[in-house]
Amino acid sequence: MSPAILLLLAFGLGLVGWLAARSRAWAFRAKTPDARLHSLPSFHAWYVALWIAVPALVFALVWNAVSPALITAHVLADPAAAALPGFGFEREAMLAQARAVAEGKAFGVFMPEAEGLIAPYRVALARYESIGLIVTILVALAGGAFAFLRLKPDFTARTRVERAVMSLLLIASLVAILTTAGIIISLVFETVRFFGMVSPIDFLFGTHWAPDPMSTGAVDGKQFGAIPLFWGTIYIGAIIAMLVAIPLGLMSAIYLTQYASSTVRKVIKPLLEILAGVPTVVYGYFAALTVAPAVRDFAQGIGISSASTESAVAAGLVMGVMIIPFVSSMADDSIAAVPDALRDGSLAMGATRAETIRKVLVPAALPGIVAGIMLAVSRAIGETMIVVMAAGASANLTANPFQSMTTVTFQIVAMLTGEGSFDHPATLSAFALGMVLFLVTLALNFIALRVVKRYREAYE
């Protein structure tokens, strides 16, 4: 049985319980008009509905995880499965084909040995689907009966429902925290494994990056020097892209808040923020097909004969355009939030509009501007598609923006999508690169918080 059916059953029974409990609460008020209910009828309804739906949902999720193994065990216990191989891919393929036919997802099997397993699978599926359906209904009825019998005029249903909602909110917040913790733990574990094979000194300070995921034998730590990757990430994402995004984003925010009419602002601001919704692969195509050839022709026109269509400046320019909305939107909101008294006071003292913007508004809005810039930098150094299509895969340590470069994110994708083993240091190097990227992003966030705190205290 599809898990969706069990979920819909749980919600349907919860709705029935909700209606029944609300009717019972209204009946309390009808029988004793002078009596005052502790909680509104809707809270009584939600109390019963939660006691019906939550246990049924929990059982449905657990049953969905457990039932496949039970069905497989039932099929393997059938005499028809005696001829199956003991272990291995062939056995799993036979079971998968027989199950697909039994569930109606396939019309036949490719292996003749799997033909005899179709009937046992159909019997097992019917049995365990019936068990899941019956137990789900019983669990829902048991929870509903327990809650329904507790309803009284003085029953504290509101308090209990609010506690349940608070618990749900707590679980939602813990999911985000535990997910972050899981990511960090997995990165740390795999990074420790990598540094057990390659020296951290060679990795963090080496200047030659040429790992071979298919190599065997002794590991040469000199091939895992990540300095060219770090430099490419900083050069493309934090230098070239920021040279484009910060001036254009900040100037557009100043124009929209201080000079543009309301009609112009209503048109330009949404158009500017559309850039944030364009898929990065589209930016990658634009960089590879339009910007990169133009950059190559320009470089060759000024005498740089080695320029190619894959260059750091092509990727950085398009990346800078992509993150303009991050800088512009945060700066726009921060400047607009500056009290009018500061601007009016500056103008009243004889300052020009330009002086007011430069010496009053921008310093007062600096926390938001810095936050937007840090967000843009974090977004830029984590970008992959533009680098793949426009910057190339060469790990070059150079300051020439017209040469091909690569970044940390590109190499993470290259190492993890190859055919190498996950026990090979070349594959594990992706986790070490991810850990470095995570630490850099964390450091940027800390810097942004410190700057925001310092200047906020000065202007509040």
Side-chain angles (χ1 to χ4, degrees), residues 310-390:
E310 293 181 341
S311 63
V313 68
L317 288 174
V318 177
M319 196 179 297
V321 173
M322 180 188 70
I323 59 179
I324 285 175
F326 292 92
V327 179
S328 175
S329 181
M330 294 289 289
D332 187 311
D333 295 339
S334 300
I335 294 174
V338 175
D340 292 338
L342 290 177
R343 181 180 66 251
D344 296 340
S346 175
L347 295 174
M349 294 293 291
T352 63
R353 179 178 290 187
E355 291 173 336
T356 299
I357 293 171
R358 187 176 70 254
K359 296 182 179 180
V360 177
L361 297 182
V362 171
L366 194 60
I369 296 174
V370 171
I373 293 174
M374 292 296 104
L375 179 64
V377 172
S378 299
R379 178 69 179 82
I381 65 175
E383 174 55 36
T384 304
M385 290 305 301
I386 295 176
V387 178
V388 170
M389 295 184 175

Side-chain angles (χ1 to χ4, degrees), residues 244-245 248-249 252 256 267-284 286 317-329 379 383 386:
V244 175
L248 294 180
S252 63
L256 289 175
V267 174
I268 294 182
K269 186 172 174 62
L271 292 176
L272 186 63
E273 292 180 347
I274 285 176
L275 292 175
V278 177
T280 56
V281 67
V282 176
Y283 282 112
F286 176 66
L317 288 174
V318 177
M319 196 179 297
V321 173
M322 180 188 70
I323 59 179
I324 285 175
F326 292 92
V327 179
S328 175
S329 181
R379 178 69 179 82
E383 174 55 36
I386 295 176

Side-chain angles (χ1 to χ4, degrees), residues 370-371 374 442-455:
V370 171
M374 292 296 104
L442 187 65
L444 290 174
N445 289 334
F446 276 125
I447 292 172
L449 289 174
R450 293 291 299 175
V451 172
V452 168
K453 182 178 179 181
R454 176 181 177 183
Y455 283 92

Side-chain angles (χ1 to χ4, degrees), residues 41-383:
S42 60
F43 285 107
H44 289 79
W46 280 113
Y47 177 75
V48 175
L50 289 174
W51 265 104
I52 293 175
V54 173
L57 288 174
V58 171
F59 173 78
L61 294 175
V62 173
W63 185 252
N64 183 52
V66 172
S67 59
L70 297 176
I71 293 172
T72 302
H74 184 276
V75 172
L76 292 176
D78 192 274
L84 288 178
F87 297 97
F89 172 78
E90 185 178 1
R91 170 185 165 178
E92 297 300 326
M94 292 179 183
L95 292 172
Q97 291 177 24
R99 177 159 189 162
V101 174
E103 292 177 342
K105 298 179 179 178
F107 296 104
V109 296
F110 298 101
M111 299 179 176
E113 297 86 347
E115 188 73 33
L117 301 177
I118 297 176
Y121 252 119
R122 285 174 176 163
V123 173
L125 287 169
R127 173 179 296 181
Y128 286 101
E129 286 177 358
S130 300
I131 292 174
L133 179 62
I134 293 172
V135 176
T136 300
I137 294 174
L138 291 176
V139 169
L141 292 177
F146 171 79
F148 194 80
L149 294 175
R150 300 186 68 186
L151 297 183
K152 298 177 181 179
D154 59 347
F155 182 66
T156 57
R158 177 175 60 83
T159 303
R160 298 171 190 271
V161 171
E162 289 177 348
R163 287 177 182 173
V165 173
M166 187 181 301
S167 300
L168 180 63
L169 297 176
L170 177 61
I171 292 172
S173 62
L174 288 177
V175 167
I177 296 173
L178 293 177
T179 301
T180 304
I183 293 173
I184 296 173
I185 292 171
S186 63
L187 282 177
V188 170
F189 178 76
E190 300 297 342
T191 301
V192 170
R193 288 182 60 196
F194 172 73
F195 285 139
M197 305 175 186
V198 177
S199 170
I201 302 299
D202 293 336
F203 176 75
L204 295 174
F205 299 101
T207 58
H208 178 63
W209 178 265
D212 184 6
M214 307 306 295
S215 64
T216 58
V219 178
D220 184 7
K222 302 299 182 182
Q223 296 180 346
F224 292 89
I227 287 293
L229 309 186
F230 301 152
W231 170 245
T233 302
I234 295 172
Y235 196 47
I236 295 174
I239 296 179
I240 298 177
M242 288 300 105
L243 289 176
V244 175
I246 293 176
L248 294 180
L250 187 56
M251 286 189 290
S252 63
I254 292 173
Y255 170 75
L256 289 175
T257 56
Q258 303 301 315
Y259 294 99
S261 63
S262 59
T263 303
V264 173
R265 177 180 171 85
K266 289 178 181 179
V267 174
I268 294 182
K269 186 172 174 62
L271 292 176
L272 186 63
E273 292 180 347
I274 285 176
L275 292 175
V278 177
T280 56
V281 67
V282 176
Y283 282 112
Y285 284 131
F286 176 66
L289 300 178
T290 304
V291 178
V295 169
R296 178 202 58 198
D297 296 341
F298 171 78
Q300 292 177 350
I302 60 176
I304 304 177
S305 59
S306 61
S308 68
T309 53
E310 293 181 341
S311 63
V313 68
L317 288 174
V318 177
M319 196 179 297
V321 173
M322 180 188 70
I323 59 179
I324 285 175
F326 292 92
V327 179
S328 175
S329 181
M330 294 289 289
D332 187 311
D333 295 339
S334 300
I335 294 174
V338 175
D340 292 338
L342 290 177
R343 181 180 66 251
D344 296 340
S346 175
L347 295 174
M349 294 293 291
T352 63
R353 179 178 290 187
E355 291 173 336
T356 299
I357 293 171
R358 187 176 70 254
K359 296 182 179 180
V360 177
L361 297 182
V362 171
L366 194 60
I369 296 174
V370 171
I373 293 174
M374 292 296 104
L375 179 64
V377 172
S378 299
R379 178 69 179 82
I381 65 175
E383 174 55 36

Side-chain angles (χ1 to χ4, degrees), residues 401-450:
F402 298 103
Q403 284 194 6
S404 174
M405 288 187 184
T406 190
T407 62
V408 168
T409 54
F410 178 87
Q411 291 300 319
I412 290 175
V413 173
M415 294 298 105
L416 290 179
T417 56
E419 298 181 357
S421 169
F422 266 80
D423 292 326
H424 196 281
T427 306
L428 294 176
S429 67
F431 295 95
L433 293 172
M435 175 59 71
V436 173
L437 193 64
F438 170 78
L439 294 176
V440 170
T441 305
L442 187 65
L444 290 174
N445 289 334
F446 276 125
I447 292 172
L449 289 174
R450 293 291 299 175

